Amino acid sequence: MIAALVYLQLTALKNAVRQRTSRLRQPRYLIATLVGAAYFYFLFFRMPASPGSGPGARTGPGNIGLFVGVTLAAVIMMGRIVYLWIFSADRAALTFTEAEVAFLFQAPVQRRVLVNYKLLKSQVRIVCSAFLFSLLSQRLGTLGGNGWTHAAGWWILLSTLELHSIAASFTRERMLDIGLNLARRRALFLGGILLIGCTLGWYLRRTLSAPTPADLVQPTAMLHYLQGVLATPPLTWLLAPFIWILRPFFAQDLTTFVRSLGPALLILAGHYFWVIRSEVAFEEASLELARRRTERGEARMAGRWNGPDRPAQKRPEPFVLRPQGLVPPAFLWRNLISAGPLFYPRNWLFISVAVLGAMLWLASRPEYRTVLVFVPAIALPLSSCVLVAGPMVMRREVRLMMQRLDVMKTYPLRGWQIVLGEMLAPIVLITAIEWLLLAVMAVAAGTLKGEFGLVAAVGGFGAIAIGLLVPPVVGLMTGIPFAAALCFPAWMASLGSAGGGVDAMGQRMIFAGGYLTVLAAALLPSALVAVGPYLLVSWSSGSAAAGLIVGASAAGLTLLGELGIVIWWLGGRYERFDLSLEAPLS
Amino acid sequence: MIEVSSLTKCYGEFTAVRELSFGVQAGEVMGLVGPNGAGKTTTLRCGTGIIPPTRGQVRINGIDLAADPVGAKRQLAFLPDEPRLFDYLTVWQHLVFVARLYGVADFAVRAQGLLEELEIADKKELLPGALSRGMKQKLAIACGLLHGPRVIFFDEPLTGLDPAGIRRMKDTMRRLARDGAAIIVSSHLLSLLEEVCTHVLILKHGEKIADGSLADVRMRFARQPDASLEDVFFSATGDDRVPPLLTRP
C-alpha cells in the first residue's frame, strides 16, 4: 500500500515540476523565472558573505563561542517545545489535502501507513527548507562546517521538530481521552516547569556566584561567565537532548559531525517510533483541518484575508450616494465601505485634527523639542513606505475586480469610468495618509529649524508643494496594478495566490522595478515643466515659497495630464480586454 | 430584440463558435443547450459584451453591441450562475450602487417593489454573508432587473436553489417574458428549458444544430410525437446512443 502512496507523492511532484517547466515556453514565465533565478543566485552565491567566511577562514568559532552558541540554541529549542506542550490547543490532526482525505481515508489503508505517508510528504518540504537554510547558514563562515554538514544538521533539526510536533499533538489527544483537559494540562505542565525552574534557580544560586561588573564589561568575559552558567550540571542534563540534536549542525569538521550523528539520529528515531506507535484517532481532526485549510485558501483567493470564519459586519456609509449622478464616485463609495470606517471623511478629519493638535501642542512646549526630533525620523520613512507599498496592496483589489469582470463588463460604462472609479479609493486613502504625514513633518520641521517663523513658513509651503503632487503621483502608481492586470492577467493571478516559486519571485521583482520606472518616467517631465515657472516666479517676486507653490502647481498639472492619459489608455485596454484569451483568474 | 448574425469566436487556432445566427423576440424565452464544449458560454459572453466576437454582429434592441456598447448594455442584464456580490454592501446598498451605474430615476420605488416581489424586503439591511444561497440569487436578480432590461441572459439559473427557489425562478422568467423581455437561458437542465422556453437553440462543436420553437424542433428531430426535449436533444446532437440510466434485464 505504501508503494501506492509513494507513487502518488512522486507523481504529483513530477507533474508539478513538469507543469512549471512546460510553462517556461511562455515568454512571461521564462523572463520571470530568469529574473527570479538571478535574484536567488545573487542572494545565495554572490552577495558578500559575512567577514571571515572566505575559504581560508572556515575554522569555525572558538570553543567558548561554540559552546555558548549551541547551548543558547538548545535553550531556544527547549522554549519552543515547552510552548508547544503548554499553549498549543490543536487536536491530533495530520495535515492532508481534501483530495487526500477523500481518497485515502475511505481506502483500505492502515492508519500507520497514513502516518508514514504524511511523514514522507513532509520530507519534501523539510529537505527543500534544509537545502535553502544550509545555503544561507554556510555563508556565515563563523559557524564552521561545510554545506553538507549544515544541510544534514538542518534536516535533523527540522525533522525532529516536525515529529515532536505530531507526537505532542497525539499525546495531548490521549490526555484528553483520559480526562486531562486543556486547563488541567496547562496547570500540570506550568506547575512542573515552575517546580523545575525554581529548583534549578535555587541550585544555581547556591553553586554559582552572581556576575561581577568585570564579567559584564567585555564580550569575552561575558562569554566566559555564560559558559560557567550553562556548563553547570543540572542545566546541562536538562539541555542535553536538545544539544545532541543541534550538534551535527554546529560540527566543525567531518569527524565531529560523524561522532555527533549517533545521539541525534537516536533521538530522531525515538520520535519516529513515538509517532508511529501512538494509537490515537486523528482522522476526525484531520478532516476538519483539511476543510479549514481549503476554506482559508478559498477565502484568500476571494480576497477575504480575515478568513472564512469571520463574517463581515455591516458598516456605515462614508457618504450618501444618490441613485443618479457621476459613476466613479459610486465605486469610491463602495470601496470606502470595504476599506472600513477609519478612512471615512468625518473620522479621518477627526483623526487629523487630533494628531495635528497634539503636534502643535508639542511644538509650543520647548521642553519637548527633543521629542519632535523623532517625528520626521518616523514620519518620513512611513510616508515613503505608504507611497510605495500602498499601490502594491492594490493588487488584491485588482484581482477581485478581475474575478468579477464578467459581470462588470455588462455594466453600461466606458472603460475609463470603471478604471477611474476603481482607482479613486486608493488615491483618496493614500493621499489622506500622505497629507497628514506631510502636515506632521511640516510642523516638526518648522519648529525645529526656524525660531522666527520664516523657515517654518517655507517648510509649510514645501509641504503644500509636495502635497499638490501627491494625488497624481499616487494615481499614477495605482495605475500600475491595473495595467499589469490588463496586460499580464496570468501574472496577477499567480501573484495573488499563496506560495510561488522562482518565477513568482521574478514576477514580484519585475513589478517592483516597474513601480520605480513608472515613478521616474512620470516625475521627469513634470520636474522639467516645473523648473521654468519656479525660476520665473521666484525671480520676479523674490519669494522662494511662491516659486515653490507655482512650480509645484505646474508639475501637479503635468502629472494630472499624465494620469488622465494613463486612465484613458487603461480604459481602452479594459474595453478591448478579452477575458476568454487569458488565464483564469479565479 | 436580440439579433445575432454570423457570430464567430476563435481562441487562437480553435473556433469555439462558428457563423452562428439567431434571433429572440420580445416575450420569447430561448433555451441555449448543447453538450459540454458546444460554445454555449462563449455565445452568452459574446451576446452580453463580456468578450468581443472575432467576427459577426450582436444587436440588442436594435443597437449594435460593438458600435455602441454602452447603449446596448443599458438594455440588457446578465445573471451568472454564481451571484457575484460585495461582502460589505447590504442588500439595499447593492441596489443603490447598481442604480447609480445605470442611472435609474425612480430607484426607491422600483427597488422596493423588486425586493417585495422577490420576498427579500425584510432583508434590506443584511450583508450577503447573512443570506442563504437562494437569497443571494434573488439579490443578484433584483440588481439585474432594477434598470428594467429588455433583454436578459440567464446562465444556469437554478444552480444551488432549493425546490421553492426553483419554482420562483421559473415564475420570474415567465413573468419577465410576459412583460415583454427577450430572454436567453443557458442550462443543462433540459426539463427546465422544456417548462420555461418557447424556443430552443441547440449547439454542437460551436455550430447550430437546431433553432426554432420547441414544437418545430421536436417535429424535426423527435422520432415519437410525445418525445421529451431530452430525447430531442440526444437525437439532434447525435448522442442518442447514450443508454438510459436504468434498464431492466
Side-chain angles (χ1 to χ4, degrees):
Chain A
M1 184 52 71
I2 193 75
L5 297 176
V6 170
Y7 168 80
L8 169 66
Q9 189 60 32
L10 289 181
T11 312
L13 189 66
K14 188 178 77 183
N15 288 345
V17 171
R18 186 180 288 172
Q19 188 201 26
R20 283 198 175 258
T21 312
S22 67
R23 70 181 188 183
L24 292 181
R25 282 192 285 250
Q26 298 176 53
R28 58 188 171 199
Y29 286 113
L30 181 65
I31 293 166
T33 303
L34 290 175
V35 173
Y39 169 75
F40 282 118
Y41 175 73
F42 279 101
L43 178 69
F44 289 126
F45 301 107
R46 302 297 298 177
M47 284 240 305
S50 61
S53 63
R58 289 196 177 277
T59 52
N63 281 340
I64 296 174
L66 179 67
F67 175 81
V68 172
V70 175
T71 315
L72 285 181
V75 170
I76 293 167
M77 194 178 165
M78 187 172 74
R80 159 93 178 85
I81 283 172
V82 165
Y83 180 87
L84 196 72
W85 281 94
I86 296 176
F87 296 106
S88 182
D90 291 343
R91 294 187 57 198
L94 296 178
T95 312
F96 290 101
T97 64
E98 283 210 308
E100 286 167 338
V101 167
F103 279 95
L104 302 181
F105 279 31
Q106 59 176 319
V109 181
Q110 285 180 345
R111 291 174 63 256
R112 187 172 292 187
V113 175
L114 280 179
V115 176
N116 273 320
Y117 169 69
K118 154 70 188 154
L119 297 179
L120 182 74
K121 196 179 157 191
S122 66
Q123 277 304 311
V124 177
R125 175 173 45 84
I126 288 173
V127 167
C128 288
S129 302
F131 171 69
L132 288 175
F133 289 170
S134 67
L135 286 177
L136 284 173
S137 62
Q138 71 163 329
R139 295 184 65 74
L140 299 169
T142 48
L143 284 174
N146 59 42
W148 292 107
T149 59
H150 279 217
W154 276 116
W155 178 79
I156 290 169
L157 175 63
L158 296 175
S159 297
T160 310
L161 282 175
E162 171 83 6
L163 283 168
H164 191 90
S165 171
I166 296 170
S169 76
F170 283 3
T171 309
R172 289 197 305 265
E173 188 77 21
R174 289 291 296 275
M175 288 175 171
L176 272 178
D177 291 343
I178 60 169
L180 205 64
N181 64 19
L182 184 66
R184 285 181 186 166
R185 191 187 83 215
R186 280 182 180 165
L188 187 74
F189 275 90
L190 275 172
I193 285 162
L194 268 175
L195 186 68
I196 293 170
C198 289
T199 312
L200 198 66
W202 173 78
Y203 185 80
L204 289 177
R205 273 180 70 90
R206 282 192 57 178
T207 51
L208 289 173
S209 54
T212 61
D215 290 329
L216 303 173
V217 170
Q218 285 189 335
T220 322
M222 279 175 71
L223 275 179
H224 273 289
Y225 180 77
L226 211 55
Q227 185 194 21
V229 174
L230 295 173
T232 311
L235 199 56
T236 50
W237 300 339
L238 205 63
L239 292 171
F242 305 101
I243 291 173
W244 289 340
I245 293 164
L246 288 162
R247 269 206 181 127
F249 175 75
F250 284 99
Q252 298 295 291
D253 50 51
L254 199 60
T255 315
T256 326
F257 174 75
V258 172
R259 272 190 204 146
S260 63
L261 267 184
L265 290 178
L266 208 63
I267 292 175
L268 186 64
H271 272 87
Y272 172 72
F273 285 109
W274 183 7
V275 170
I276 285 295
R277 294 196 174 275
S278 295
E279 289 297 327
V280 175
F282 59 81
E283 288 85 350
E284 192 186 336
S286 301
L287 205 140
E288 178 64 17
L289 181 66
R291 188 188 60 77
R292 281 208 313 268
R293 275 162 51 92
T294 306
E295 282 181 0
R296 270 201 299 271
E298 285 171 354
R300 223 174 17 235
M301 288 297 285
R304 297 192 304 274
W305 290 86
N306 54 351
D309 301 330
R310 292 186 192 172
Q313 299 291 317
K314 190 185 165 190
R315 293 167 175 178
E317 297 178 19
F319 53 87
V320 177
L321 184 74
R322 296 183 194 285
Q324 285 182 303
L326 292 172
V327 170
F331 287 89
L332 173 66
W333 174 83
R334 188 199 71 197
N335 290 336
L336 281 181
I337 292 177
S338 292
L342 179 67
F343 293 99
Y344 288 7
R346 191 189 303 170
N347 297 348
W348 191 250
L349 192 68
F350 177 77
I351 291 169
S352 303
V353 168
V355 170
L356 283 176
M359 278 302 299
L360 289 170
W361 180 79
L362 268 179
S364 68
R365 307 290 292 264
E367 66 268 31
Y368 291 129
R369 288 227 163 154
T370 45
V371 178
L372 277 181
V373 174
F374 291 102
V375 172
I378 295 168
L380 191 60
L382 189 63
S383 166
S384 314
C385 198
V386 169
L387 190 65
V388 176
M392 283 190 181
V393 173
M394 267 302 293
R395 284 204 304 245
R396 188 173 67 89
E397 301 300 322
V398 173
R399 279 193 73 249
L400 286 179
M401 185 194 85
M402 300 299 278
Q403 284 172 8
R404 294 197 180 101
L405 209 59
D406 56 347
V407 175
M408 289 179 69
K409 288 277 258 180
T410 65
Y411 292 160
L413 304 172
R414 301 302 310 193
W416 68 265
Q417 289 177 297
I418 293 198
V419 171
L420 174 60
E422 293 286 3
M423 282 169 65
L424 272 179
I427 292 174
V428 167
L429 298 184
I430 298 171
T431 300
I433 297 172
E434 290 292 341
W435 278 355
L436 179 60
L437 289 171
L438 270 173
V440 163
M441 282 189 280
V443 172
T447 311
L448 292 169
K449 283 186 181 173
E451 291 295 328
F452 304 101
L454 179 63
V455 179
V458 174
F461 281 121
I464 292 169
I466 296 171
L468 286 171
L469 304 179
V470 166
V473 168
V474 172
L476 284 165
M477 292 187 74
T478 308
I480 297 173
F482 281 91
L486 294 172
C487 298
F488 309 104
W491 277 19
M492 288 301 284
S494 60
L495 281 171
S497 57
V502 178
D503 57 332
M505 176 54 78
Q507 288 168 16
R508 290 188 180 98
M509 303 293 294
I510 291 171
F511 270 112
Y515 278 103
L516 295 176
T517 309
V518 167
L519 190 62
L523 287 177
L524 188 65
S526 58
L528 292 175
V529 168
V531 170
Y534 168 74
L535 292 175
L536 191 69
V537 174
S538 301
W539 174 74
S540 60
S541 68
S543 164
L548 206 58
I549 295 294
V550 173
S553 301
L557 284 173
T558 312
L559 286 168
L560 270 179
E562 291 175 10
L563 180 60
I565 292 168
V566 166
I567 290 173
W568 190 259
W569 175 75
L570 285 173
R573 183 86 204 173
Y574 172 89
E575 287 173 11
R576 291 187 301 278
F577 184 76
D578 190 343
L579 197 63
S580 58
L581 294 179
E582 301 298 343
L585 281 152
S586 55
Chain B
M1 301 284 271
I2 309 170
E3 296 157 71
V4 175
S5 53
S6 303
L7 177 73
T8 300
K9 180 67 186 178
C10 304
Y11 301 128
E13 298 288 307
F14 173 69
T15 304
V17 176
R18 190 190 303 274
E19 293 294 323
L20 180 64
S21 299
F22 62 89
V24 185
Q25 299 308 311
E28 290 180 356
V29 182
M30 194 192 78
L32 190 58
V33 292
N36 288 333
K40 298 189 299 295
T41 304
T42 302
T43 305
L44 215 60
R45 286 179 156 196
C46 287
T48 49
I50 294 171
I51 58 174
T54 309
R55 286 187 300 277
Q57 193 181 45
V58 178
R59 297 179 78 84
I60 304 289
N61 225 4
I63 304 168
D64 186 342
L65 189 58
D68 182 7
V70 173
K73 286 174 183 178
R74 282 195 188 285
Q75 310 285 325
L76 69 82
F78 169 59
L79 300 168
D81 54 345
E82 193 63 37
R84 310 278 165 77
L85 303 171
F86 299 104
D87 289 344
Y88 290 100
L89 294 195
T90 63
V91 168
W92 188 255
Q93 286 169 339
H94 270 90
L95 294 168
V96 173
F97 179 66
V98 172
R100 180 77 167 227
L101 297 184
Y102 286 85
V104 180
D106 50 348
F107 154 74
V109 179
R110 291 184 69 90
Q112 187 62 35
L114 272 170
L115 293 182
E116 280 167 11
E117 187 188 324
L118 293 165
E119 299 171 350
I120 49 171
D122 57 333
K123 312 278 190 249
K124 265 198 307 201
E125 298 305 318
L126 295 184
L127 292 173
L131 299 177
S132 66
R133 173 70 172 71
M135 299 282 182
K136 286 178 186 168
Q137 185 78 324
K138 286 178 180 182
L139 173 56
I141 293 170
C143 289
L145 301 184
L146 187 67
H147 63 287
R150 307 308 299 153
V151 172
I152 305 166
F153 294 81
F154 286 94
D155 188 8
E156 292 292 355
L158 303 190
T159 306
L161 293 184
D162 62 5
I166 289 172
R167 174 173 282 186
R168 276 193 217 101
M169 178 61 84
K170 288 180 199 167
D171 290 343
T172 303
M173 283 192 267
R174 289 193 196 101
R175 203 255 312 150
L176 289 167
R178 267 202 313 275
D179 292 348
I183 297 176
I184 293 183
V185 185
S186 168
S187 179
H188 283 299
L189 297 174
L190 298 176
S191 57
L192 160 77
L193 301 180
E194 199 160 22
E195 281 183 63
V196 176
C197 296
T198 56
H199 291 67
V200 67
L201 171 67
I202 303 177
L203 293 175
K204 188 179 180 186
H205 299 318
E207 293 185 17
K208 183 166 74 177
I209 302 287
D211 174 25
S213 70
L214 272 173
D216 289 345
V217 174
R218 186 174 278 133
M219 191 180 289
R220 187 176 154 199
F221 290 99
R223 289 170 187 163
Q224 295 145 351
D226 59 341
S228 66
L229 182 58
E230 187 175 275
D231 296 328
V232 171
F233 173 79
F234 286 126
S235 175
T237 55
D239 285 340
D240 48 355
R241 62 185 180 282
V242 177
L245 277 177
L246 293 172
T247 50
R248 287 179 187 279

